[in-house]
Amino acid sequence: QVQLVESGGGLVQAGGSLRLSCAGSGLTFSRYAMGWFRQAPGKERESVATISWSGTNTYYADSVKGRFTISRDNIKNTLYLQMNTLKPEDTAAYYCAATVRPWAPDLFQWNYWGQGTQVTVSS
């Protein structure tokens, strides 16, 4: 049974930092591209950052470029998202996901999802 478990969310003031983690089990973690997504109330789920299976290639949404860094540790089967200079508009539930595809621009192309961790940024 595949499980992706996010942690590290919380309440932070604008300008602060948080580091999210996503622990994977039940899958050969190093064979999956991984991604972070977020969904704010009343909005659609959107891609935040993705990383290839090897960690060589990364993608960031324009809204987080220069502030967020995605990384992975294939020995620990863990995905990370370092979030710096947080803004109130970053407030959302953050989800990690895994896909066997090398490139998955559509949400339905992601095979597994975590339950999410809430990030709230106060102004």
Side-chain angles (χ1 to χ4, degrees), residues 35-66:
W36 286 100
F37 298 78
R38 67 187 181 187
Q39 188 168 17
K43 295 188 177 181
E44 293 186 352
R45 190 170 297 190
E46 63 177 358
S47 176
V48 174
T50 60
I51 187 167
S52 61
W53 64 269
S54 66
T56 301
N57 298 311
T58 57
Y59 158 85
Y60 295 93
D62 288 342
S63 58
V64 306
K65 279 181 183 177

Side-chain angles (χ1 to χ4, degrees), residues 10-84:
L11 174 64
V12 64
Q13 288 189 332
S17 298
L18 283 174
R19 188 194 196 202
L20 305 183
S21 299
C22 170
S25 61
L27 75 169
T28 306
F29 188 82
S30 60
R31 293 185 180 178
Y32 287 79
M34 300 295 295
W36 286 100
F37 298 78
R38 67 187 181 187
Q39 188 168 17
K43 295 188 177 181
E44 293 186 352
R45 190 170 297 190
E46 63 177 358
S47 176
V48 174
T50 60
I51 187 167
S52 61
W53 64 269
S54 66
T56 301
N57 298 311
T58 57
Y59 158 85
Y60 295 93
D62 288 342
S63 58
V64 306
K65 279 181 183 177
R67 300 188 298 122
F68 290 11
T69 303
I70 189 171
S71 62
R72 65 189 296 162
D73 185 332
N74 286 343
I75 301 299
K76 296 182 178 180
N77 289 353
T78 303
L79 176 73
Y80 303 99
L81 184 68
Q82 178 65 44
M83 305 186 295
N84 298 328

